[in-house]
């Protein structure tokens, strides 16, 4: 069974940093493209970042470019999101999502999410 | 970036109703259009990929259509478990984008 479990969320002050993790199981993690998606309170889904299978290609949404860094450790079956210079508008539930292999790139499995709150 | 516009934002319907919602892309995305269902506190769930392909395990009352810039998601007979928010997503561009969502509420 495919499972994605996020962790690392919490309360952080504006300007602070946080590192999210996503533990994957039930599939060959190294073969799949992975993403982070967030949902702000009362808002919709917003794609944040993408990392391909190795050798890694990486993309970011303009809203986080230069502040967030996505990475993966295939030996640990884990995906990460390093978030620096956090702002109030980064407050959201953050989900990791697997992109289906092939050209459609839909997100066929998602985690339950981890809440990040940026507030003083 | 490719903008995705969903309508309506809110939809009030009864169990058994046939409901249709739309998604429009700001430029042609061929059939690189996916639909998700999201319930509060739960992980989003893929329903339809490549505009009209039903994801494994999803009930056949869900169907998708369209190509280019205009797409639809139809629920043929609304069930109690279908009350949720539905999002479209384009995966044509390397920077994927979601629509704003259609919330389906109980009438």
């Amino acid at each position: 069974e495919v499972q994605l479990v996020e962790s690392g969320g919490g309360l952080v002050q504006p300007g602070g940093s946080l590192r999210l993790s996503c533990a994957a199981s039930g599939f060959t993690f190294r073969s799949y493209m992975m993403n982070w998606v967030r949902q702000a309170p009362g808002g919709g889904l917003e794609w944040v970042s993408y990392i391909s299978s190795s050798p890694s290609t990486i993309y970011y949404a303009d809203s986080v470019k230069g502040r967030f860094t996505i990475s993966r450790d295939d030996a640990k079956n884990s995906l990460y999101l390093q978030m620096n210079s956090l702002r109030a508008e980064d407050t959201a539930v953050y989900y990791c999502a697997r992109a289906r292999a092939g050209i459609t790139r839909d997100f066929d499995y998602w985690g339950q999410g981890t809440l990040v709150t940026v507030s003083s | 970036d490719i903008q995705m516009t969903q309508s309506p934002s809110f939809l009030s319907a009864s169990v058994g109703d046939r409901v249709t919602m739309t998604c429009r892309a700001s430029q042609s995305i061929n059939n690189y259009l996916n639909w998700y269902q999201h319930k509060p506190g739960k992980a989003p769930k893929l329903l339809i990929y490549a505009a009209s392909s039903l994801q494994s395990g999803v009930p056949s009352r869900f169907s998708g259509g369209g190509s280019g810039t205009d797409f639809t998601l139809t629920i043929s007979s609304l069930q109690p478990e279908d009350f949720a928010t539905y999002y479209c997503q384009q995966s044509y561009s390397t920077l994927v984008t979601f629509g704003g969502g259609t919330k389906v509420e109980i009438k």
Side-chain angles (χ1 to χ4, degrees):
Chain A
E1 178 193 6
V2 171
Q3 283 198 318
L4 298 169
V5 180
E6 302 93 337
S7 61
L11 175 64
V12 61
Q13 292 188 339
S17 299
L18 212 54
R19 188 195 196 205
L20 305 183
S21 300
C22 172
S25 61
F27 66 102
T28 306
F29 179 73
R30 65 178 181 274
S31 299
Y32 283 84
M33 304 169 284
M34 299 296 297
N35 296 267
W36 287 99
V37 178
R38 68 184 180 183
Q39 183 181 36
L45 299 176
E46 179 190 15
W47 171 79
V48 172
S49 185
Y50 158 95
I51 186 167
S52 68
S53 55
S54 296
S56 295
T57 299
I58 288 172
Y59 303 115
Y60 298 100
D62 288 344
S63 57
V64 307
K65 195 178 298 182
R67 300 187 299 122
F68 290 11
T69 301
I70 191 172
S71 63
R72 63 190 298 157
D73 185 336
D74 291 340
K76 295 183 177 180
N77 291 335
S78 292
L79 175 72
Y80 304 102
L81 186 68
Q82 177 67 43
M83 304 186 295
N84 298 331
S85 303
L86 283 161
R87 306 166 180 168
E89 54 264 37
D90 295 319
T91 294
V93 175
Y94 285 73
Y95 300 95
C96 65
R98 187 183 87 167
R100 186 196 305 272
I103 64 171
T104 58
R105 296 194 298 125
D106 51 277
F107 298 172
D108 59 352
Y109 285 94
W110 298 62
Q112 296 281 349
T114 187
L115 176 62
V116 173
T117 303
V118 184
S119 175
S120 54
Chain B
D1 293 1
I2 299 174
Q3 308 302 316
M4 306 300 294
T5 303
Q6 290 186 242
S7 61
S9 298
F10 296 92
L11 191 161
S12 182
S14 301
V15 172
D17 284 353
R18 179 183 180 90
V19 301
T20 297
M21 60 196 77
T22 65
C23 177
R24 174 164 290 176
S26 59
Q27 66 181 74
S28 177
I29 57 171
N30 293 337
N31 69 334
Y32 289 88
L33 190 284
N34 313 304
W35 290 96
Y36 300 86
Q37 177 191 67
H38 193 202
K39 298 179 181 180
K42 301 288 188 179
K45 177 184 177 181
L46 176 66
L47 300 175
I48 301 285
Y49 64 96
S52 60
S53 295
L54 190 67
Q55 172 67 352
S56 176
V58 173
S60 59
R61 63 180 180 272
F62 291 92
S63 64
S67 65
T69 59
D70 294 309
F71 302 87
T72 58
L73 174 69
T74 297
I75 309 172
S76 60
S77 178
L78 199 63
Q79 298 301 300
E81 60 268 30
D82 300 337
F83 292 96
T85 301
Y86 294 83
Y87 293 93
C88 63
Q89 175 214 33
Q90 65 80 16
S91 53
Y92 177 83
S93 168
T94 52
L95 305 185
V96 304
T97 45
F98 290 90
T102 292
K103 186 174 183 179
V104 178
E105 298 179 319
I106 301 173
K107 182 182 284 185

